[in-house]
Amino acid sequence: MSTGTAQKSSDVSNDTRGVCVTLQNEKDGKVMHPDLINPNIKVAQYAVRGELYLRGEQLRQEGKEIIFTNVGNPHSLGGKPLTFTRQVISLCTAPFLLDHPDVEKLFAPDAIARAKKLTASFKGGIGAYTDSRGNSMIREEISNFIQKRDGIPSNHNHVFMTDGASVSVRMSLNALIRNSNDGILVPIPQYPLYSASISLYGGALIPYYLDEDNAWGLDMPGLKTAVQEARAAGKNVRGMVFINPGNPTGQCLTHANLCELVKFAYNENIVLMADEVYQENIYQDEHPFISAKKAVYDMGAPYNEAVELFSFHTISKGTGGECGLRGGYMEMVNIHPDTVAQMYKCASINLCPNTVGQIAVSVLVNPPAPGDHSYDMHVNETTSELHSLRRRAHMVTDAFNALEGVSCNFTEGSMYSFPKITLSAKAIEKAKSMGKAPDVYYCLRLLETTGISTVPGSGFGQKEGTFHLRTTILPREEVMDKFTKMFKTFHESFMDEFRD
Amino acid sequence: MIHGHYPIPVEPYNSALPATIWHNSSTRISFYKKPRRDRSNQVIGIRRSSMLRSQGNKIFALCSKAHALAALQGANAPSILGSDGVRFKSTNPNVKDGKVMHPELLNQNVLDTQYAVRGELYLRAEQLRKEGKEIIFTNVGNPHALGAKPLTFPRQVIALCAAPFLLERPDVEQMFPRDAIARARKILASFKGGVGAYTDSRGNPLVREEVAQFIEKRDGLPSNADDIFLTDGASVSVRLCLNAIIRDKWDGILVPIPQYPLYSASITLYGGSLIPYYLDEKNNWGLSVENLQASVKKAREEGKNCRGLVFINPGNPTGTCLSKDDLKKLIKFAYDEKIVLMADEVYQENVYQDERPFVSAKKVMAEMGEPYVSSVELLSFHTVSKGSGGECGLRGGYVEMTNIHPGAVEEVYKCASINLSPNTIGQISMSILVNPPVPGDESYELYMKEKSTEIASLRRRAHMVTDGFNSLEGVFCQFTEGAMYAFPQIKLPKKAIEKADSLGKAADVFYCLRLLEATGISTVPGSGFGQEPGTFHLRTTILPREDVMQQFNDKFKTFHKAFMNEFRN
């Protein structure tokens, strides 16, 4: 009998395996030793919950008050859920309430009706697995929403719900990436979900830089160069991610931008992955949200028949901000039906997305209509949150731009501000002497001094030699003043401390 | 970059290509590209010489790999000009029939993945259902879909957590018991920002603490909340762990046959190797360490690393409950062979006999003392989807990692964080599973009554289903000691096997499809779980409610008789 110890010798070559060499199976008595786990996991980086987050958590546990502006997590900073959504969820989770004589005292009549309709559509209620793509009635509601938004038909069989949009993104990347030569174009700065997932699936991230001097706009020649260089380096360029409105950059793409992208994807045979989770979060009127799908169809043939497009949406953002419930979807446009079937198979391994997240998606895409009992309240709640976010976008951007050595593009959309901070040579040296990236050092000092938890620009990618940080614009208006003041005080003393 | 020459398949722009080119093995060609320029418009490259070779009826250009890939992708791919002036178009290996995401161009691991529980039978059943036929879905352990009711207390707490404004209402006590209200308040206080906020990626710390206390109470051993991760159902836990363990196709995971296809599918998806070990049907689907050793030996001879061992207790689809002695053997085996144990213990509450109550692998490990207790690497999984609550749709589960290197736990934490956090409602559901109402609480009696009624009913149903199968001609079924399934062996007549062959179907798939068409009963063929070659099984849940179970059995019996008569040799 061969034993574990015998197996440990790691350099046995075996002719049935060609050139492969047996990987080590055990180290320090551990099979699951950190040095012996999947190397794709080891290289994956996920900065949003990285060093800064961990230190923030530690300080919080020590009793320090922390303002978590590191994640777009509105409720944790006092954002309130939308009442109608939660009434419906509450009734669906406890369907026996629907038979209670007092139910109408606590719940709105349209919430009761909606809960009844939803409960009926979940065979067995929300405690039963649904189809792995999600409840089909809700997928039809999503299709109707997309159709209404874009004026273009949508097929609910090509809409999959998942536990948050992140799972949708990961499913599509997993299908697309075959090996380390398969590359995905990702904007820099980017949301680290993309870099982390691409590493995890063993693909190659191909960066393309957004133009900070041009309001974080797309740089088409730069994009083309990125593709050419990647190909010259032996990569297959398979997919291209773009985030509209931008995360962490906050810019909104114009119709013309989108058309250029679509044309580019068509010419270069690249699958478009449109991260459109912030579509509701728009804080100016010049660049309203336009979906990639609409741009594809506006361009007509051959684009509308050929450009392969994934588009992602979520309940976590918008005005509801239901991060914790984990609901999201993807729509697949011009994706080969057999590929959709392959994705369905992969989705089925996890059985189904959680039902409460599905219900939240249902209410997001099919909210109360005029005349419904809850309509006025629902509209009032969503618009006042949106207006407040717009004011906060201005407050944060203005505050950053008032600081020495800081410049910040206006947050046109999404939930983030991504200021550039010009650090002095002294500060950079100090950071290096501590073995930290300068932006990490700045953010750590900010955290220690003020309790403000941000994410350094290096977590998202930035041009060599520039330093940024990402903060959400989510502190409530009543504490925003305090937030910007704390930031200012810290920044001034930091600049004084390290003045060259 | 890898140096060397790479063939690029090329096809003529003009199909009326002169035959001389097709047969010329060394035509000199040039790649004509638009000049490559850098950002200052400086030309940095323009042309490259290479060779054409023919092989069969295909033509290949030989060039460097980078050049080949650059040549073949995108609209700016150059045309290839032969020395005799004939142009060629390169065939882009990245696109087929105009699709980048062509099914033939996807991740091979995705294509190779099989998932039978929602395979051909399920799809056909869904189709029939849409056509209006009444289908009894016994293909998935999905109790609520067959009429099971949720436990009242967890749903009350969840309803209050989802709509916290109800807690402010003076009339809330008219609709909710006091302990549900108190529990909801406690939970909401621990979810900073309520259920709409992301939690820590491992789940809410209070709930993880409750899980640790539950384990401590169950096993009489300490458990550390930092080694417990909550996930969207136990499947996600299993997949997180497999993804960390598997590095390449030489990394093997021992999986029982028959097995739950989550394992085979995930191992394929992560590019590892499934190493089967057979359970012994004649011996009540028992474990045989000899079989395990033989499997490991064979796998190692093939050059594989045996990294992990999955076992399911109580068994899915086999229904077997492992004895303490079985578990001891497994643990010793894992220790001797240096293999991570993956204990699928999601059916721990579903036990239908008294001889072998559920014992956790962790408890047995502790009883064995040193060196086992401090060195066997153990991952154990639990869920809200099974038990007496059966909250499949809410997606709550956890993994406890015992003796796992803290650095590896960190890496798994990082992976979990990419998905931000498990859903909060599933977390609350887990909180109540592990920390239910206690004696003296207002809801205690109702809660206990609901649970024990369901388990008692499942026990009766386990007998009904097993007895039903064993009364059929040519059918043999081990008693469902635990879990939610019966996995009868069906001796199919030769004629039936031939008929199935002629239709291009596995014989058990054929049987299950006929069963579905005739009765509306949706099962999963044994081939989806693995079975000894030449034997045929199916899996059904024991979940139809008692009042319809007689009907279920009768339908099955009528179909089976007719099927056997039709194909009698």
Side-chain angles (χ1 to χ4, degrees):
Chain A
M1 189 188 76
S2 68
T3 66
T5 10
Q7 180 67 9
K8 221 165 76 176
S9 56
S10 59
D11 48 1
V12 191
S13 77
N14 179 327
D15 40 9
T16 61
R17 341 183 9 173
V19 294
C20 284
V21 172
T22 313
L23 292 170
Q24 194 179 343
N25 193 41
E26 183 205 338
K27 184 169 175 177
D28 303 339
K30 297 286 183 196
V31 176
M32 260 183 99
H33 190 281
D35 292 348
L36 303 183
I37 64 172
N38 181 347
N40 290 340
I41 288 183
K42 297 204 66 172
V43 298
Q45 299 261 341
Y46 199 69
V48 175
R49 302 231 161 169
E51 181 177 0
L52 263 289
Y53 169 76
L54 295 173
R55 180 71 185 135
E57 266 299 313
Q58 200 176 14
L59 288 170
R60 190 184 60 79
Q61 274 164 22
E62 288 165 12
K64 191 172 165 80
E65 197 194 324
I66 303 296
I67 309 176
F68 282 103
T69 60
N70 58 320
V71 188
N73 192 7
H75 292 201
S76 75
L77 293 175
K80 289 276 163 282
L82 301 171
T83 308
F84 179 77
T85 312
R86 291 299 190 88
Q87 284 185 336
V88 173
I89 291 173
S90 182
L91 287 166
C92 289
T93 55
F96 39 82
L97 295 179
L98 291 167
D99 302 324
H100 198 285
D102 293 335
V103 65
E104 297 206 1
K105 285 188 195 158
L106 270 78
F107 295 91
D110 54 345
I112 295 171
R114 186 64 177 273
K116 282 186 177 153
K117 188 178 160 207
L118 279 163
T119 306
S121 81
F122 282 94
K123 197 176 144 32
I126 64 162
Y129 293 126
T130 66
D131 187 281
S132 305
R133 299 166 295 187
N135 176 310
S136 63
M137 182 187 91
I138 299 175
R139 287 189 290 124
E140 274 183 47
E141 289 178 313
I142 296 170
S143 279
N144 291 338
F145 161 79
I146 295 171
Q147 205 155 329
K148 209 170 136 195
R149 184 193 65 192
D150 297 338
I152 301 155
S154 164
N155 174 357
H156 78 278
N157 285 322
H158 289 196
V159 173
F160 285 20
M161 276 189 273
T162 51
D163 288 313
S166 305
V167 176
S168 285
V169 168
R170 294 180 61 179
M171 274 178 63
S172 41
L173 285 174
N174 195 17
L176 195 51
I177 296 172
R178 298 163 301 185
N179 57 43
S180 59
N181 280 325
D182 278 352
I184 308 290
L185 286 157
V186 172
I188 301 295
Q190 57 111 21
Y191 178 52
L193 161 68
Y194 296 100
S195 49
S197 304
I198 293 167
S199 299
L200 203 55
Y201 297 130
L205 184 147
I206 306 170
Y208 67 92
Y209 284 85
L210 300 175
D211 184 358
E212 182 164 18
D213 297 333
N214 188 17
W216 294 115
L218 277 169
D219 165 18
M220 292 309 291
L223 192 54
K224 282 174 190 155
T225 310
V227 170
Q228 281 178 13
E229 283 172 0
R231 287 183 179 151
K235 305 286 180 210
N236 274 312
V237 184
R238 302 268 290 165
M240 171 176 170
V241 172
F242 66 97
I243 312 175
N244 179 35
N247 174 6
T249 47
Q251 86 287 17
C252 295
L253 296 180
T254 63
H255 194 269
N257 287 154
L258 286 165
C259 289
E260 275 186 291
L261 268 185
V262 169
K263 215 168 162 185
F264 172 76
Y266 174 80
N267 285 337
E268 302 290 344
N269 283 308
I270 291 173
V271 176
L272 279 183
M273 304 183 71
D275 181 336
E276 301 180 327
V277 299
Y278 297 99
Q279 57 189 268
E280 200 184 341
N281 299 92
I282 306 287
Y283 313 125
Q284 37 71 42
D285 305 314
E286 294 75 29
H287 305 152
F289 170 73
I290 304 164
S291 75
K293 188 180 180 191
K294 184 162 167 45
V296 166
Y297 275 76
D298 285 352
M299 290 174 72
Y303 306 100
N304 63 354
E305 289 152 9
V307 172
E308 293 162 80
L309 170 71
F310 285 87
S311 123
F312 307 101
H313 197 16
T314 186
I315 58 168
S316 302
K317 310 302 169 186
T319 48
E322 292 286 10
C323 299
L325 301 184
R326 312 310 292 126
Y329 74 77
M330 64 179 152
E331 188 194 18
M332 295 175 256
V333 179
N334 289 328
I335 302 295
H336 194 294
D338 291 347
T339 296
V340 175
Q342 292 289 337
M343 307 275 286
Y344 186 11
K345 180 182 70 184
C346 285
S348 71
I349 302 174
N350 276 4
L351 296 158
C352 73
N354 87 83
T355 48
V356 173
Q358 294 186 44
I359 293 171
V361 171
S362 163
V363 179
L364 172 73
V365 297
N366 185 14
D372 289 353
H373 184 274
S374 301
Y375 176 75
D376 287 342
M377 180 180 63
H378 191 76
V379 170
N380 184 26
E381 287 176 349
T382 52
T383 50
S384 60
E385 180 65 8
L386 205 52
H387 288 159
S388 163
L389 281 166
R390 184 187 277 230
R391 288 190 296 272
R392 285 181 267 166
H394 282 284
M395 288 162 89
V396 173
T397 315
D398 291 350
F400 280 129
N401 283 323
L403 301 180
E404 178 192 354
V406 176
S407 77
C408 185
N409 280 313
F410 175 60
T411 301
E412 297 181 337
S414 85
M415 292 183 166
Y416 311 98
S417 186
F418 196 66
K420 178 158 82 179
I421 299 168
T422 309
L423 295 174
S424 65
K426 244 189 184 167
I428 295 172
E429 272 163 36
K430 173 76 180 170
K432 283 191 178 146
S433 75
M434 300 185 71
K436 298 202 185 295
D439 54 352
V440 173
Y441 177 67
Y442 180 92
C443 291
L444 275 171
R445 286 286 299 268
L446 173 70
L447 175 67
E448 303 282 346
T449 317
T450 62
I452 298 174
S453 165
T454 58
V455 187
S458 44
F460 305 92
Q462 54 199 351
K463 281 228 160 121
E464 189 74 32
T466 66
F467 304 105
H468 298 76
L469 62 80
R470 186 188 82 167
T471 167
T472 67
I473 57 163
L474 296 177
R476 307 305 292 173
E477 278 182 84
E478 56 273 24
V479 298
M480 190 57 97
D481 208 32
K482 186 177 131 196
F483 173 81
T484 53
K485 273 195 186 121
M486 278 163 85
F487 211 110
K488 184 168 181 229
T489 314
F490 161 77
H491 183 76
E492 279 169 359
S493 71
F494 185 91
M495 293 302 271
D496 287 341
E497 183 179 342
F498 294 106
R499 207 168 289 285
D500 289 328
Chain B
M1 199 201 324
I2 303 163
H3 293 282
H5 279 78
Y6 292 82
I8 326 168
V10 296
E11 59 188 38
Y13 267 146
N14 176 355
S15 58
L17 185 75
T20 48
I21 295 292
W22 283 98
H23 297 292
N24 189 339
S25 62
S26 60
T27 303
R28 188 131 189 107
I29 63 154
S30 301
F31 286 97
Y32 280 95
K33 290 182 74 172
K34 287 182 182 167
R36 272 185 63 208
R37 295 173 193 276
D38 67 13
R39 283 184 144 181
S40 56
N41 216 27
Q42 195 75 30
V43 175
I44 51 172
I46 169 162
R47 61 164 64 179
R48 182 84 167 232
S49 293
S50 192
M51 306 286 277
L52 265 191
R53 287 188 192 284
S54 69
Q55 190 181 315
N57 62 351
K58 287 208 173 87
I59 294 184
F60 295 92
L62 299 186
C63 60
S64 76
K65 182 174 190 181
H67 200 176
L69 282 157
L72 294 177
Q73 295 179 57
N76 296 329
S79 58
I80 299 167
L81 185 64
S83 58
D84 52 0
V86 177
R87 281 186 177 275
F88 294 84
K89 187 177 84 174
S90 56
T91 28
N92 188 341
N94 201 30
V95 179
K96 183 162 182 174
D97 302 340
K99 297 286 184 196
V100 176
M101 274 193 96
H102 190 278
E104 288 172 22
L105 301 180
L106 300 179
N107 180 342
Q108 194 59 42
N109 293 338
V110 167
L111 296 174
D112 291 345
T113 299
Q114 301 255 341
Y115 198 70
V117 175
R118 303 232 160 167
E120 181 178 0
L121 262 290
Y122 170 75
L123 296 175
R124 177 70 186 136
E126 268 298 317
Q127 201 176 11
L128 288 170
R129 190 184 59 81
K130 279 186 189 141
E131 289 166 12
K133 193 173 164 83
E134 198 195 320
I135 304 294
I136 308 175
F137 281 101
T138 60
N139 58 319
V140 187
N142 193 7
H144 293 207
L146 294 176
K149 291 278 163 278
L151 301 170
T152 306
F153 181 75
R155 291 299 191 90
Q156 285 170 331
V157 174
I158 293 170
L160 287 166
C161 290
F165 37 84
L166 295 179
L167 292 165
E168 317 297 318
R169 298 279 301 245
D171 44 1
V172 66
E173 293 201 6
Q174 285 162 28
M175 287 185 88
F176 294 91
R178 285 184 301 273
D179 54 347
I181 294 170
R183 186 64 177 271
R185 289 213 164 100
K186 185 180 163 205
I187 287 172
L188 283 174
S190 80
F191 280 86
K192 196 175 143 34
V195 301
Y198 294 126
T199 66
D200 187 282
S201 305
R202 299 166 296 187
N204 177 304
L206 171 93
V207 178
R208 286 189 289 127
E209 199 55 58
E210 289 177 316
V211 171
Q213 281 163 17
F214 160 81
I215 295 170
E216 272 185 41
K217 207 170 139 195
R218 184 192 66 192
D219 297 341
L221 288 165
S223 166
N224 180 354
D226 287 337
D227 294 331
I228 293 163
F229 286 21
L230 305 178
T231 52
D232 289 315
S235 305
V236 176
S237 283
V238 168
R239 293 180 63 179
L240 267 173
C241 296
L242 285 173
N243 196 16
I245 294 176
I246 296 171
R247 298 164 299 184
D248 60 23
K249 64 179 174 171
W250 303 106
D251 279 350
I253 308 290
L254 287 153
V255 172
I257 302 295
Q259 56 111 21
Y260 177 51
L262 161 67
Y263 296 101
S264 49
S266 303
I267 292 167
T268 309
L269 202 55
Y270 296 132
S273 291
L274 185 148
I275 307 171
Y277 68 93
Y278 282 86
L279 300 175
D280 183 358
E281 180 165 16
K282 289 191 196 66
N283 187 17
N284 194 18
W285 294 114
L287 271 171
S288 142
V289 172
E290 292 72 35
N291 277 358
L292 268 173
Q293 278 161 348
S295 294
V296 169
K297 185 161 181 276
K298 182 162 173 279
R300 287 187 178 149
E301 278 166 9
E302 288 165 3
K304 292 192 178 117
N305 272 315
C306 294
R307 303 268 291 162
L309 186 162
V310 172
F311 67 96
I312 311 174
N313 178 36
N316 175 6
T318 54
T320 310
C321 293
L322 295 180
S323 67
K324 224 179 230 190
D325 205 43
D326 288 333
L327 287 165
K328 276 185 186 159
K329 283 184 201 159
L330 264 183
I331 289 163
K332 187 164 185 309
F333 177 77
Y335 175 80
D336 289 341
E337 302 290 340
K338 275 287 162 205
I339 292 175
V340 177
L341 276 184
M342 301 182 71
D344 181 336
E345 302 180 325
V346 299
Y347 297 100
Q348 56 189 268
E349 200 186 324
N350 299 91
V351 175
Y352 313 126
Q353 38 71 40
D354 305 314
E355 293 74 31
R356 278 190 296 284
F358 170 75
V359 191
S360 75
K362 191 177 177 192
K363 185 175 163 77
V364 174
M365 217 162 82
E367 285 180 13
M368 289 168 75
E370 294 302 345
Y372 307 99
V373 65
S374 53
S375 64
V376 173
E377 292 164 79
L378 171 69
L379 304 162
S380 133
F381 308 100
H382 196 16
T383 186
V384 301
S385 302
K386 309 301 170 188
S388 47
E391 292 286 12
C392 298
L394 301 185
R395 312 312 290 124
Y398 74 74
V399 55
E400 186 194 21
M401 297 178 259
T402 307
N403 292 328
I404 302 296
H405 192 294
V409 174
E410 273 303 304
E411 294 289 344
V412 176
Y413 184 12
K414 183 180 69 185
C415 279
S417 73
I418 303 175
N419 277 3
L420 296 158
S421 70
N423 87 81
T424 49
I425 305 294
Q427 295 186 46
I428 295 173
S429 185
M430 181 57 79
S431 160
I432 293 161
L433 174 73
V434 297
N435 184 15
V438 294
D441 289 353
E442 185 175 340
S443 302
Y444 175 72
E445 275 170 34
L446 175 71
Y447 185 80
M448 293 312 284
K449 183 163 160 269
E450 286 176 343
K451 272 178 100 79
S452 57
T453 308
E454 183 65 9
I455 294 290
S457 162
L458 280 166
R459 183 186 278 232
R460 288 191 295 272
R461 284 181 269 167
H463 283 284
M464 288 164 88
V465 172
T466 319
D467 293 351
F469 280 128
N470 282 324
S471 72
L472 301 181
E473 178 193 354
V475 176
F476 170 74
C477 186
Q478 291 287 0
F479 175 60
T480 301
E481 298 177 340
M484 293 182 166
Y485 311 97
F487 197 65
Q489 182 176 154
I490 299 168
K491 294 217 158 53
L492 293 175
K494 207 170 145 223
K495 253 188 178 168
I497 298 172
E498 281 164 7
K499 174 74 179 173
D501 272 352
S502 74
L503 291 164
K505 295 198 185 299
D508 54 353
V509 173
F510 174 65
Y511 180 91
C512 291
L513 275 171
R514 287 287 297 266
L515 173 69
L516 174 67
E517 303 282 345
T519 63
I521 298 174
S522 165
T523 58
V524 187
S527 44
F529 305 92
Q531 54 199 351
E532 297 250 16
T535 68
F536 300 105
H537 299 76
L538 62 82
R539 187 187 84 166
T540 169
T541 68
I542 57 162
L543 296 176
R545 308 305 292 172
E546 279 182 83
D547 41 331
V548 299
M549 191 58 99
Q550 193 56 53
Q551 193 205 353
F552 173 83
N553 276 348
D554 288 347
K555 275 184 167 169
F556 213 111
K557 191 171 180 183
T558 312
F559 161 77
H560 184 74
K561 265 190 183 162
F563 184 91
M564 293 301 272
N565 285 336
E566 184 179 344
F567 294 105
R568 204 169 291 286
N569 293 329

